[in-house]
Every structure is written in structure tokens, then in C-alpha cells.
Amino acid sequence: MERPEIDLRSASVARIFDYYLGGAHNFAVDRVLADAAAKLMPELPRMMRLHRRFLARAMRYLVEQGVTQFLDLGSGLPTAGGSAELARRLDPSSRVVLVDNDPAVIAHGTHMLDSANTAVVLGDICEPDLVLGHPETRRLLDFDQPVGLLLVGVLDFVGDVALPQVIARYRDAAAPGSHIVLTNFSVEGGLEDYQRTEQLYRDNTTIDFHPRSAAEVTELLAGFDLAEPGVVDISLWRPEAVEDLDEHPERSAAYVAVGRKP
């Protein structure tokens, strides 16, 4: 397979997340922008850690419901604490397909994964038919059985064009008993800091942000029965440890939910 070309001149969302999480798969251009953004919004590194801890809780819940195959849409790099590692830890027989539109994720991820039960696919999550029909997706995932649809830390960068219909396409392709895990950035806790950070990214990258309200997130989950406690702040979804919590949850700036297809 031809190796995807990586643009070393532009920052990457996946590599910025990796940097905030203490990973080593990032470049100077990513670190410079990440540090500048963190000065404007000091909670950004904490938010990335909260996302990882939420993902771990949500995937544990899905495995308890009998889900052992996962389609991670907008996966980012498969670093420590990511869906591929979590799935293997929770159930060694789990199968995971990681989907991302960033060539860096494909180039690095292919070398980082060492299991025949995982694959990395270059694709746009807003083209569900191509993602669902990809040979690696079809090889690893059986859509006649429940699947975990993971949309964690990706919808923040996806516009509103037909997004409910896109998610509905994945839902319709999945068997009853499938689950969705979803997060989306919110500005309801601090609009001014967000606006400054958004402008920084616009000035330095092609990255665009799409925060959503709790009502908008709920709309994206049509057709799923929400697990308790529903659409809530990221630190309030079934916390298990002090590290899951936030002294000011209203400032955590992300809504999350887990839903089941009946």
C-alpha cells in the first residue's frame, strides 16, 4: 500500500491531541500551536485527559453489554488509552477499525498497531458508505452483530452539513443492540476563551470548530435509547474516580452520551 503523504508544515488535530496526552507522535509545528492554544484555554490538556477517561468508562460499559467490535470514527492516533488498546484490555477477542482522514494517523497508526484484530482506514467519516464498505471494515466487523460506534473528540471538527443523516446511516447499518459513544465540544461554559482559541487555529491551520449545545447533541442521537444519565458534561457520565471529576463541570466544555440501538 502506498504510504500516505504527511504535511509536516501544518499542525494536525490528531498530533495535537497526542501532545496534550503526553505522547511522542507529534512534531514541532503541533507543539507550538498546542502550547499557544493552552495559554488561551488552560483547560485544553485536562479536557483531552477527561476524554480518554470517559472513553474508557464508556467502552467498559459497552463490553458489559456484549459489544466486542468497534468502529472508531475520527480515531486519532492509536496511542496509550485509545480504543484499540482499551478493547484488547477489556476483551482480547475484540475487533477494532480506526477511521481517520489524517494521513499522519494512517502512517503512524499502521506501525503502532500489532494485532490482527485491528485496522486503520483512511476515510472521511461523513462518507459512511465508503467507510462501511471499506475492505478492512468488512473484513473485521460483522454488522449482523452489535457494533460500538465511537465518535469521541471528532464531531468538534465536523460541520452541520447533513450530520444527523450521516450518523443515521451508521445507525441503520448496525444491528440492534449496537451502541454509540459520542462527545462534542461546547462553548456554554466560556465563550470568550473559546473565540480567542478558535481564531488562533483559523490563523494557523485549516482546522475549524463546531461546538454544539446539549439540545443539538441530543438531536444527533435520534434513534438511540440513551443510557443514564443521558447527555451530560463529560465529567458527569458515570464517574468512577477522582480523576474523572471536575471541580467546575460546567466549564469542562464538552457534552457526552452513550446510546443503544433498540
Side-chain angles (χ1 to χ4, degrees):
M1 183 178 70
E2 183 179 352
R3 187 166 184 172
E5 182 179 351
I6 302 175
D7 183 1
L8 302 182
R9 299 166 299 177
S10 301
S12 154
V13 171
R15 297 194 307 261
I16 289 173
F17 280 14
D18 177 70
Y19 174 61
Y20 282 147
L21 292 167
H25 298 277
N26 51 78
F27 303 125
V29 65
D30 308 303
R31 296 189 287 272
V32 168
L33 183 56
D35 287 340
K39 287 182 180 179
L40 295 176
M41 287 186 71
E43 64 267 29
L44 281 175
R46 173 181 58 82
M47 282 301 306
M48 298 308 103
R49 293 190 293 271
L50 287 175
H51 270 77
R52 273 295 157 90
R53 295 192 64 85
F54 164 71
L55 176 63
R57 300 194 304 276
M59 287 189 64
R60 188 179 307 114
Y61 172 80
L62 264 59
V63 171
E64 290 171 353
Q65 307 307 306
V67 177
T68 57
Q69 50 178 357
F70 302 91
L71 182 61
D72 191 344
L73 299 164
S75 63
L77 289 163
T79 49
S83 61
E85 179 188 280
L86 287 167
R88 287 196 302 270
R89 188 191 311 161
L90 291 165
D91 187 320
S93 69
S94 294
R95 302 184 303 279
V96 184
V97 174
L98 310 175
V99 181
D100 207 287
N101 66 352
D102 186 343
V105 171
I106 311 306
H108 291 304
T110 301
H111 295 291
M112 294 164 68
L113 295 172
D114 58 0
S115 170
N117 286 346
T118 58
V120 188
V121 169
L122 180 65
D124 185 339
I125 69 169
C126 290
E127 298 178 342
D129 289 337
L130 295 180
V131 171
L132 294 166
H134 192 281
E136 288 293 86
T137 306
R138 295 172 64 87
R139 178 179 70 87
L140 281 176
L141 305 184
D142 178 4
F143 283 87
D144 290 329
Q145 300 297 322
V147 176
L149 303 170
L150 309 179
L151 288 152
V152 177
V154 63
L155 297 184
D156 317 310
F157 310 103
V158 178
D160 296 323
V161 179
L163 186 55
Q165 289 85 351
V166 167
I167 294 176
R169 177 68 185 93
Y170 288 108
R171 181 199 66 216
D172 293 345
S178 294
H179 284 68
I180 187 170
V181 177
L182 183 150
T183 74
N184 208 120
F185 187 71
S186 167
V187 298
E188 294 177 7
L191 181 59
E192 186 175 342
D193 288 346
Y194 161 76
Q195 289 175 327
R196 289 199 297 266
T197 306
E198 179 185 41
Q199 190 61 51
L200 174 69
Y201 274 86
R202 285 182 173 174
D203 290 344
N204 290 276
T205 71
T206 59
I207 298 169
D208 200 6
F209 290 100
H210 298 274
R212 293 179 174 90
S213 67
E216 290 171 320
V217 170
T218 301
E219 182 181 355
L220 297 178
L221 294 160
F224 291 96
D225 295 333
L226 298 188
E228 291 295 336
V231 176
V232 294
D233 178 87
I234 195 167
S235 67
L236 300 180
W237 197 90
R238 305 190 180 199
E240 298 172 351
V242 173
E243 293 80 6
D244 299 333
L245 299 171
D246 188 345
E247 291 182 5
H248 303 284
E250 73 281 358
R251 295 174 57 188
S252 289
Y255 287 115
V256 306
V258 175
R260 178 184 183 275
K261 178 179 175 177

mmCIF file of all heavy atoms in Angstrom, residues 114-161:
data_model
loop_
_atom_site.group_PDB
_atom_site.id
_atom_site.type_symbol
_atom_site.label_atom_id
_atom_site.label_comp_id
_atom_site.label_asym_id
_atom_site.label_seq_id
_atom_site.Cartn_x
_atom_site.Cartn_y
_atom_site.Cartn_z
ATOM 1 N N ASP A 114 -0.332 -3.751 16.503
ATOM 2 C CA ASP A 114 0.346 -5.036 16.309
ATOM 3 C C ASP A 114 -0.613 -6.214 16.430
ATOM 4 O O ASP A 114 -0.215 -7.327 16.748
ATOM 5 C CB ASP A 114 1.478 -5.197 17.330
ATOM 6 C CG ASP A 114 0.996 -5.098 18.769
ATOM 7 O OD1 ASP A 114 -0.221 -4.900 18.963
ATOM 8 O OD2 ASP A 114 1.816 -5.227 19.689
ATOM 9 N N SER A 115 -1.890 -5.980 16.178
ATOM 10 C CA SER A 115 -2.885 -7.032 16.333
ATOM 11 C C SER A 115 -3.618 -7.265 15.020
ATOM 12 O O SER A 115 -3.953 -6.315 14.302
ATOM 13 C CB SER A 115 -3.898 -6.656 17.425
ATOM 14 O OG SER A 115 -4.999 -7.550 17.419
ATOM 15 N N ALA A 116 -3.854 -8.536 14.705
ATOM 16 C CA ALA A 116 -4.619 -8.867 13.504
ATOM 17 C C ALA A 116 -6.074 -8.467 13.639
ATOM 18 O O ALA A 116 -6.806 -8.433 12.646
ATOM 19 C CB ALA A 116 -4.513 -10.368 13.227
ATOM 20 N N ASN A 117 -6.500 -8.133 14.868
ATOM 21 C CA ASN A 117 -7.889 -7.755 15.120
ATOM 22 C C ASN A 117 -8.115 -6.255 15.038
ATOM 23 O O ASN A 117 -9.173 -5.764 15.427
ATOM 24 C CB ASN A 117 -8.337 -8.255 16.494
ATOM 25 C CG ASN A 117 -8.566 -9.747 16.505
ATOM 26 O OD1 ASN A 117 -8.649 -10.378 15.459
ATOM 27 N ND2 ASN A 117 -8.671 -10.320 17.684
ATOM 28 N N THR A 118 -7.126 -5.506 14.549
ATOM 29 C CA THR A 118 -7.270 -4.060 14.418
ATOM 30 C C THR A 118 -6.833 -3.631 13.024
ATOM 31 O O THR A 118 -6.005 -4.277 12.379
ATOM 32 C CB THR A 118 -6.423 -3.304 15.462
ATOM 33 O OG1 THR A 118 -5.048 -3.679 15.321
ATOM 34 C CG2 THR A 118 -6.891 -3.595 16.874
ATOM 35 N N ALA A 119 -7.401 -2.528 12.553
ATOM 36 C CA ALA A 119 -7.028 -1.970 11.256
ATOM 37 C C ALA A 119 -7.205 -0.466 11.306
ATOM 38 O O ALA A 119 -8.024 0.058 12.073
ATOM 39 C CB ALA A 119 -7.882 -2.566 10.136
ATOM 40 N N VAL A 120 -6.418 0.235 10.478
ATOM 41 C CA VAL A 120 -6.516 1.688 10.356
ATOM 42 C C VAL A 120 -6.927 2.011 8.927
ATOM 43 O O VAL A 120 -6.307 1.531 7.972
ATOM 44 C CB VAL A 120 -5.174 2.375 10.666
ATOM 45 C CG1 VAL A 120 -5.351 3.889 10.725
ATOM 46 C CG2 VAL A 120 -4.598 1.863 11.973
ATOM 47 N N VAL A 121 -7.981 2.795 8.787
ATOM 48 C CA VAL A 121 -8.556 3.098 7.476
ATOM 49 C C VAL A 121 -8.515 4.606 7.236
ATOM 50 O O VAL A 121 -8.948 5.385 8.093
ATOM 51 C CB VAL A 121 -10.014 2.589 7.397
ATOM 52 C CG1 VAL A 121 -10.705 3.122 6.152
ATOM 53 C CG2 VAL A 121 -10.053 1.068 7.427
ATOM 54 N N LEU A 122 -7.987 5.004 6.085
ATOM 55 C CA LEU A 122 -8.039 6.409 5.687
ATOM 56 C C LEU A 122 -9.402 6.671 5.075
ATOM 57 O O LEU A 122 -9.766 6.079 4.052
ATOM 58 C CB LEU A 122 -6.935 6.707 4.672
ATOM 59 C CG LEU A 122 -6.859 8.152 4.166
ATOM 60 C CD1 LEU A 122 -6.495 9.104 5.296
ATOM 61 C CD2 LEU A 122 -5.837 8.255 3.022
ATOM 62 N N GLY A 123 -10.161 7.552 5.716
ATOM 63 C CA GLY A 123 -11.501 7.815 5.212
ATOM 64 C C GLY A 123 -12.134 9.001 5.887
ATOM 65 O O GLY A 123 -11.720 9.426 6.962
ATOM 66 N N ASP A 124 -13.158 9.533 5.249
ATOM 67 C CA ASP A 124 -13.925 10.665 5.764
ATOM 68 C C ASP A 124 -15.177 10.101 6.433
ATOM 69 O O ASP A 124 -15.989 9.432 5.781
ATOM 70 C CB ASP A 124 -14.299 11.592 4.616
ATOM 71 C CG ASP A 124 -15.008 12.861 5.069
ATOM 72 O OD1 ASP A 124 -15.566 12.870 6.181
ATOM 73 O OD2 ASP A 124 -15.022 13.827 4.290
ATOM 74 N N ILE A 125 -15.342 10.362 7.701
ATOM 75 C CA ILE A 125 -16.486 9.785 8.414
ATOM 76 C C ILE A 125 -17.812 10.303 7.864
ATOM 77 O O ILE A 125 -18.857 9.689 8.098
ATOM 78 C CB ILE A 125 -16.404 10.042 9.928
ATOM 79 C CG1 ILE A 125 -16.618 11.524 10.248
ATOM 80 C CG2 ILE A 125 -15.084 9.546 10.490
ATOM 81 C CD1 ILE A 125 -16.808 11.783 11.728
ATOM 82 N N CYS A 126 -17.778 11.415 7.114
ATOM 83 C CA CYS A 126 -19.008 11.937 6.518
ATOM 84 C C CYS A 126 -19.356 11.246 5.209
ATOM 85 O O CYS A 126 -20.303 11.655 4.522
ATOM 86 C CB CYS A 126 -18.888 13.449 6.311
ATOM 87 S SG CYS A 126 -18.908 14.383 7.855
ATOM 88 N N GLU A 127 -18.596 10.208 4.868
ATOM 89 C CA GLU A 127 -18.902 9.362 3.720
ATOM 90 C C GLU A 127 -19.127 7.940 4.229
ATOM 91 O O GLU A 127 -18.303 7.042 4.004
ATOM 92 C CB GLU A 127 -17.775 9.426 2.692
ATOM 93 C CG GLU A 127 -17.565 10.816 2.116
ATOM 94 C CD GLU A 127 -16.414 10.878 1.125
ATOM 95 O OE1 GLU A 127 -15.563 9.960 1.134
ATOM 96 O OE2 GLU A 127 -16.367 11.837 0.336
ATOM 97 N N PRO A 128 -20.225 7.726 4.945
ATOM 98 C CA PRO A 128 -20.423 6.442 5.632
ATOM 99 C C PRO A 128 -20.430 5.230 4.719
ATOM 100 O O PRO A 128 -19.950 4.163 5.107
ATOM 101 C CB PRO A 128 -21.768 6.620 6.343
ATOM 102 C CG PRO A 128 -22.437 7.766 5.662
ATOM 103 C CD PRO A 128 -21.343 8.658 5.197
ATOM 104 N N ASP A 129 -20.936 5.368 3.500
ATOM 105 C CA ASP A 129 -20.972 4.212 2.610
ATOM 106 C C ASP A 129 -19.561 3.741 2.260
ATOM 107 O O ASP A 129 -19.305 2.534 2.172
ATOM 108 C CB ASP A 129 -21.759 4.531 1.342
ATOM 109 C CG ASP A 129 -23.255 4.672 1.601
ATOM 110 O OD1 ASP A 129 -23.727 4.116 2.611
ATOM 111 O OD2 ASP A 129 -23.945 5.343 0.816
ATOM 112 N N LEU A 130 -18.639 4.692 2.068
ATOM 113 C CA LEU A 130 -17.261 4.318 1.780
ATOM 114 C C LEU A 130 -16.586 3.704 3.000
ATOM 115 O O LEU A 130 -15.820 2.735 2.878
ATOM 116 C CB LEU A 130 -16.471 5.539 1.291
ATOM 117 C CG LEU A 130 -16.914 6.140 -0.041
ATOM 118 C CD1 LEU A 130 -16.048 7.342 -0.398
ATOM 119 C CD2 LEU A 130 -16.847 5.092 -1.148
ATOM 120 N N VAL A 131 -16.858 4.258 4.170
ATOM 121 C CA VAL A 131 -16.277 3.709 5.405
ATOM 122 C C VAL A 131 -16.812 2.310 5.667
ATOM 123 O O VAL A 131 -16.057 1.367 5.939
ATOM 124 C CB VAL A 131 -16.570 4.638 6.598
ATOM 125 C CG1 VAL A 131 -16.166 3.968 7.910
ATOM 126 C CG2 VAL A 131 -15.844 5.970 6.441
ATOM 127 N N LEU A 132 -18.128 2.161 5.576
ATOM 128 C CA LEU A 132 -18.747 0.871 5.867
ATOM 129 C C LEU A 132 -18.371 -0.188 4.829
ATOM 130 O O LEU A 132 -18.310 -1.381 5.148
ATOM 131 C CB LEU A 132 -20.267 1.028 5.922
ATOM 132 C CG LEU A 132 -20.797 1.883 7.078
ATOM 133 C CD1 LEU A 132 -22.259 2.250 6.849
ATOM 134 C CD2 LEU A 132 -20.634 1.157 8.411
ATOM 135 N N GLY A 133 -18.134 0.247 3.592
ATOM 136 C CA GLY A 133 -17.806 -0.699 2.537
ATOM 137 C C GLY A 133 -16.322 -0.934 2.351
ATOM 138 O O GLY A 133 -15.927 -1.728 1.479
ATOM 139 N N HIS A 134 -15.490 -0.285 3.149
ATOM 140 C CA HIS A 134 -14.041 -0.459 3.010
ATOM 141 C C HIS A 134 -13.669 -1.916 3.279
ATOM 142 O O HIS A 134 -14.216 -2.548 4.195
ATOM 143 C CB HIS A 134 -13.312 0.459 3.990
ATOM 144 C CG HIS A 134 -11.844 0.564 3.725
ATOM 145 N ND1 HIS A 134 -10.942 -0.408 4.102
ATOM 146 C CD2 HIS A 134 -11.117 1.541 3.115
ATOM 147 C CE1 HIS A 134 -9.727 -0.038 3.749
ATOM 148 N NE2 HIS A 134 -9.805 1.141 3.144
ATOM 149 N N PRO A 135 -12.744 -2.483 2.502
ATOM 150 C CA PRO A 135 -12.380 -3.890 2.694
ATOM 151 C C PRO A 135 -11.965 -4.239 4.123
ATOM 152 O O PRO A 135 -12.304 -5.323 4.620
ATOM 153 C CB PRO A 135 -11.212 -4.084 1.714
ATOM 154 C CG PRO A 135 -11.454 -3.063 0.640
ATOM 155 C CD PRO A 135 -12.069 -1.891 1.333
ATOM 156 N N GLU A 136 -11.251 -3.345 4.799
ATOM 157 C CA GLU A 136 -10.823 -3.638 6.169
ATOM 158 C C GLU A 136 -12.004 -3.606 7.139
ATOM 159 O O GLU A 136 -12.067 -4.393 8.089
ATOM 160 C CB GLU A 136 -9.745 -2.654 6.620
ATOM 161 C CG GLU A 136 -8.399 -2.862 5.959
ATOM 162 C CD GLU A 136 -7.772 -4.185 6.379
ATOM 163 O OE1 GLU A 136 -8.067 -5.225 5.744
ATOM 164 O OE2 GLU A 136 -7.004 -4.187 7.352
ATOM 165 N N THR A 137 -12.930 -2.686 6.906
ATOM 166 C CA THR A 137 -14.134 -2.656 7.738
ATOM 167 C C THR A 137 -14.913 -3.950 7.567
ATOM 168 O O THR A 137 -15.334 -4.579 8.549
ATOM 169 C CB THR A 137 -15.028 -1.462 7.362
ATOM 170 O OG1 THR A 137 -14.271 -0.248 7.425
ATOM 171 C CG2 THR A 137 -16.223 -1.358 8.303
ATOM 172 N N ARG A 138 -15.087 -4.365 6.342
ATOM 173 C CA ARG A 138 -15.858 -5.578 6.057
ATOM 174 C C ARG A 138 -15.133 -6.832 6.554
ATOM 175 O O ARG A 138 -15.770 -7.814 6.948
ATOM 176 C CB ARG A 138 -16.127 -5.671 4.557
ATOM 177 C CG ARG A 138 -17.021 -4.536 4.033
ATOM 178 C CD ARG A 138 -17.106 -4.554 2.523
ATOM 179 N NE ARG A 138 -17.759 -5.774 2.039
ATOM 180 C CZ ARG A 138 -19.071 -5.917 1.904
ATOM 181 N NH1 ARG A 138 -19.880 -4.913 2.226
ATOM 182 N NH2 ARG A 138 -19.585 -7.042 1.448
ATOM 183 N N ARG A 139 -13.807 -6.792 6.535
ATOM 184 C CA ARG A 139 -13.035 -7.947 6.998
ATOM 185 C C ARG A 139 -13.164 -8.167 8.496
ATOM 186 O O ARG A 139 -13.292 -9.307 8.968
ATOM 187 C CB ARG A 139 -11.547 -7.769 6.634
ATOM 188 C CG ARG A 139 -10.644 -8.904 7.122
ATOM 189 C CD ARG A 139 -9.207 -8.667 6.707
ATOM 190 N NE ARG A 139 -8.595 -7.572 7.423
ATOM 191 C CZ ARG A 139 -7.980 -7.706 8.606
ATOM 192 N NH1 ARG A 139 -7.933 -8.881 9.210
ATOM 193 N NH2 ARG A 139 -7.416 -6.656 9.187
ATOM 194 N N LEU A 140 -13.157 -7.074 9.239
ATOM 195 C CA LEU A 140 -13.079 -7.195 10.698
ATOM 196 C C LEU A 140 -14.424 -7.121 11.409
ATOM 197 O O LEU A 140 -14.585 -7.708 12.479
ATOM 198 C CB LEU A 140 -12.158 -6.108 11.264
ATOM 199 C CG LEU A 140 -10.657 -6.368 11.140
ATOM 200 C CD1 LEU A 140 -9.866 -5.171 11.646
ATOM 201 C CD2 LEU A 140 -10.256 -7.619 11.913
ATOM 202 N N LEU A 141 -15.380 -6.384 10.864
ATOM 203 C CA LEU A 141 -16.622 -6.138 11.593
ATOM 204 C C LEU A 141 -17.793 -6.878 10.962
ATOM 205 O O LEU A 141 -17.973 -6.863 9.752
ATOM 206 C CB LEU A 141 -16.919 -4.629 11.643
ATOM 207 C CG LEU A 141 -15.819 -3.736 12.226
ATOM 208 C CD1 LEU A 141 -16.300 -2.299 12.286
ATOM 209 C CD2 LEU A 141 -15.380 -4.224 13.612
ATOM 210 N N ASP A 142 -18.602 -7.485 11.821
ATOM 211 C CA ASP A 142 -19.815 -8.185 11.399
ATOM 212 C C ASP A 142 -21.006 -7.335 11.819
ATOM 213 O O ASP A 142 -21.369 -7.287 12.998
ATOM 214 C CB ASP A 142 -19.878 -9.565 12.064
ATOM 215 C CG ASP A 142 -21.155 -10.328 11.712
ATOM 216 O OD1 ASP A 142 -21.956 -9.819 10.902
ATOM 217 O OD2 ASP A 142 -21.341 -11.433 12.270
ATOM 218 N N PHE A 143 -21.619 -6.669 10.833
ATOM 219 C CA PHE A 143 -22.706 -5.751 11.152
ATOM 220 C C PHE A 143 -24.030 -6.462 11.394
ATOM 221 O O PHE A 143 -25.045 -5.810 11.651
ATOM 222 C CB PHE A 143 -22.837 -4.685 10.067
ATOM 223 C CG PHE A 143 -21.787 -3.617 10.161
ATOM 224 C CD1 PHE A 143 -20.550 -3.779 9.547
ATOM 225 C CD2 PHE A 143 -22.004 -2.477 10.905
ATOM 226 C CE1 PHE A 143 -19.572 -2.816 9.656
ATOM 227 C CE2 PHE A 143 -21.037 -1.503 11.034
ATOM 228 C CZ PHE A 143 -19.805 -1.670 10.398
ATOM 229 N N ASP A 144 -24.020 -7.780 11.358
ATOM 230 C CA ASP A 144 -25.186 -8.548 11.810
ATOM 231 C C ASP A 144 -25.157 -8.754 13.313
ATOM 232 O O ASP A 144 -26.108 -9.289 13.890
ATOM 233 C CB ASP A 144 -25.236 -9.909 11.097
ATOM 234 C CG ASP A 144 -25.569 -9.775 9.618
ATOM 235 O OD1 ASP A 144 -26.296 -8.826 9.274
ATOM 236 O OD2 ASP A 144 -25.082 -10.599 8.823
ATOM 237 N N GLN A 145 -24.044 -8.338 13.938
ATOM 238 C CA GLN A 145 -23.881 -8.410 15.384
ATOM 239 C C GLN A 145 -23.671 -6.989 15.918
ATOM 240 O O GLN A 145 -23.269 -6.094 15.179
ATOM 241 C CB GLN A 145 -22.684 -9.295 15.760
ATOM 242 C CG GLN A 145 -22.794 -10.731 15.271
ATOM 243 C CD GLN A 145 -23.968 -11.458 15.899
ATOM 244 O OE1 GLN A 145 -24.264 -11.267 17.092
ATOM 245 N NE2 GLN A 145 -24.659 -12.287 15.113
ATOM 246 N N PRO A 146 -23.948 -6.743 17.214
ATOM 247 C CA PRO A 146 -23.797 -5.384 17.760
ATOM 248 C C PRO A 146 -22.392 -4.819 17.566
ATOM 249 O O PRO A 146 -21.391 -5.523 17.716
ATOM 250 C CB PRO A 146 -24.118 -5.573 19.248
ATOM 251 C CG PRO A 146 -25.029 -6.759 19.283
ATOM 252 C CD PRO A 146 -24.521 -7.675 18.212
ATOM 253 N N VAL A 147 -22.368 -3.547 17.216
ATOM 254 C CA VAL A 147 -21.131 -2.808 16.984
ATOM 255 C C VAL A 147 -21.131 -1.573 17.871
ATOM 256 O O VAL A 147 -22.179 -0.960 18.102
ATOM 257 C CB VAL A 147 -21.009 -2.393 15.497
ATOM 258 C CG1 VAL A 147 -19.776 -1.529 15.270
ATOM 259 C CG2 VAL A 147 -20.983 -3.616 14.599
ATOM 260 N N GLY A 148 -19.961 -1.190 18.344
ATOM 261 C CA GLY A 148 -19.810 0.061 19.070
ATOM 262 C C GLY A 148 -19.339 1.158 18.123
ATOM 263 O O GLY A 148 -18.249 1.054 17.537
ATOM 264 N N LEU A 149 -20.169 2.178 17.920
ATOM 265 C CA LEU A 149 -19.814 3.316 17.072
ATOM 266 C C LEU A 149 -19.216 4.403 17.956
ATOM 267 O O LEU A 149 -19.912 4.972 18.813
ATOM 268 C CB LEU A 149 -21.051 3.843 16.342
ATOM 269 C CG LEU A 149 -21.809 2.834 15.485
ATOM 270 C CD1 LEU A 149 -23.143 3.435 15.025
ATOM 271 C CD2 LEU A 149 -20.972 2.405 14.286
ATOM 272 N N LEU A 150 -17.944 4.686 17.794
ATOM 273 C CA LEU A 150 -17.250 5.643 18.644
ATOM 274 C C LEU A 150 -17.042 6.948 17.894
ATOM 275 O O LEU A 150 -16.400 6.981 16.842
ATOM 276 C CB LEU A 150 -15.901 5.076 19.089
ATOM 277 C CG LEU A 150 -15.921 3.670 19.712
ATOM 278 C CD1 LEU A 150 -14.507 3.227 20.076
ATOM 279 C CD2 LEU A 150 -16.832 3.628 20.933
ATOM 280 N N LEU A 151 -17.595 8.035 18.424
ATOM 281 C CA LEU A 151 -17.436 9.376 17.869
ATOM 282 C C LEU A 151 -16.946 10.277 18.999
ATOM 283 O O LEU A 151 -17.683 11.117 19.518
ATOM 284 C CB LEU A 151 -18.763 9.873 17.296
ATOM 285 C CG LEU A 151 -19.211 9.204 15.991
ATOM 286 C CD1 LEU A 151 -20.728 9.215 15.866
ATOM 287 C CD2 LEU A 151 -18.570 9.898 14.795
ATOM 288 N N VAL A 152 -15.706 10.076 19.384
ATOM 289 C CA VAL A 152 -15.143 10.750 20.552
ATOM 290 C C VAL A 152 -14.076 11.743 20.104
ATOM 291 O O VAL A 152 -13.064 11.360 19.509
ATOM 292 C CB VAL A 152 -14.535 9.716 21.532
ATOM 293 C CG1 VAL A 152 -13.884 10.414 22.720
ATOM 294 C CG2 VAL A 152 -15.618 8.756 22.021
ATOM 295 N N GLY A 153 -14.335 13.026 20.367
ATOM 296 C CA GLY A 153 -13.365 14.060 20.035
ATOM 297 C C GLY A 153 -13.266 14.369 18.553
ATOM 298 O O GLY A 153 -12.278 14.955 18.112
ATOM 299 N N VAL A 154 -14.293 14.010 17.769
ATOM 300 C CA VAL A 154 -14.221 14.247 16.330
ATOM 301 C C VAL A 154 -15.296 15.194 15.827
ATOM 302 O O VAL A 154 -15.046 16.001 14.928
ATOM 303 C CB VAL A 154 -14.291 12.904 15.553
ATOM 304 C CG1 VAL A 154 -15.613 12.201 15.796
ATOM 305 C CG2 VAL A 154 -14.069 13.134 14.062
ATOM 306 N N LEU A 155 -16.497 15.143 16.392
ATOM 307 C CA LEU A 155 -17.583 15.982 15.891
ATOM 308 C C LEU A 155 -17.318 17.467 16.104
ATOM 309 O O LEU A 155 -17.935 18.308 15.451
ATOM 310 C CB LEU A 155 -18.911 15.585 16.539
ATOM 311 C CG LEU A 155 -19.389 14.159 16.231
ATOM 312 C CD1 LEU A 155 -20.765 13.919 16.848
ATOM 313 C CD2 LEU A 155 -19.422 13.907 14.729
ATOM 314 N N ASP A 156 -16.387 17.791 16.998
ATOM 315 C CA ASP A 156 -15.986 19.179 17.194
ATOM 316 C C ASP A 156 -15.449 19.795 15.903
ATOM 317 O O ASP A 156 -15.435 21.007 15.744
ATOM 318 C CB ASP A 156 -14.872 19.270 18.255
ATOM 319 C CG ASP A 156 -15.145 18.392 19.451
ATOM 320 O OD1 ASP A 156 -16.260 18.479 19.984
ATOM 321 O OD2 ASP A 156 -14.264 17.614 19.842
ATOM 322 N N PHE A 157 -14.993 18.943 14.966
ATOM 323 C CA PHE A 157 -14.370 19.418 13.731
ATOM 324 C C PHE A 157 -15.187 19.064 12.495
ATOM 325 O O PHE A 157 -14.692 19.136 11.374
ATOM 326 C CB PHE A 157 -12.966 18.811 13.617
ATOM 327 C CG PHE A 157 -12.149 18.994 14.864
ATOM 328 C CD1 PHE A 157 -11.967 17.945 15.749
ATOM 329 C CD2 PHE A 157 -11.603 20.222 15.182
ATOM 330 C CE1 PHE A 157 -11.244 18.107 16.913
ATOM 331 C CE2 PHE A 157 -10.881 20.402 16.348
ATOM 332 C CZ PHE A 157 -10.699 19.348 17.217
ATOM 333 N N VAL A 158 -16.433 18.681 12.713
ATOM 334 C CA VAL A 158 -17.316 18.309 11.610
ATOM 335 C C VAL A 158 -18.462 19.309 11.547
ATOM 336 O O VAL A 158 -19.141 19.556 12.546
ATOM 337 C CB VAL A 158 -17.889 16.885 11.792
ATOM 338 C CG1 VAL A 158 -18.836 16.538 10.650
ATOM 339 C CG2 VAL A 158 -16.752 15.866 11.860
ATOM 340 N N GLY A 159 -18.693 19.871 10.366
ATOM 341 C CA GLY A 159 -19.752 20.856 10.213
ATOM 342 C C GLY A 159 -21.143 20.261 10.292
ATOM 343 O O GLY A 159 -21.311 19.043 10.474
ATOM 344 N N ASP A 160 -22.129 21.094 10.140
ATOM 345 C CA ASP A 160 -23.517 20.678 10.337
ATOM 346 C C ASP A 160 -24.156 20.083 9.086
ATOM 347 O O ASP A 160 -25.314 19.681 9.115
ATOM 348 C CB ASP A 160 -24.361 21.874 10.796
ATOM 349 C CG ASP A 160 -23.909 22.393 12.151
ATOM 350 O OD1 ASP A 160 -23.539 21.548 12.990
ATOM 351 O OD2 ASP A 160 -23.928 23.606 12.348
ATOM 352 N N VAL A 161 -23.411 20.021 7.986
ATOM 353 C CA VAL A 161 -23.998 19.573 6.733
ATOM 354 C C VAL A 161 -24.418 18.110 6.830
ATOM 355 O O VAL A 161 -23.593 17.203 6.866
ATOM 356 C CB VAL A 161 -23.006 19.760 5.565
ATOM 357 C CG1 VAL A 161 -23.620 19.256 4.280
ATOM 358 C CG2 VAL A 161 -22.603 21.218 5.450
#
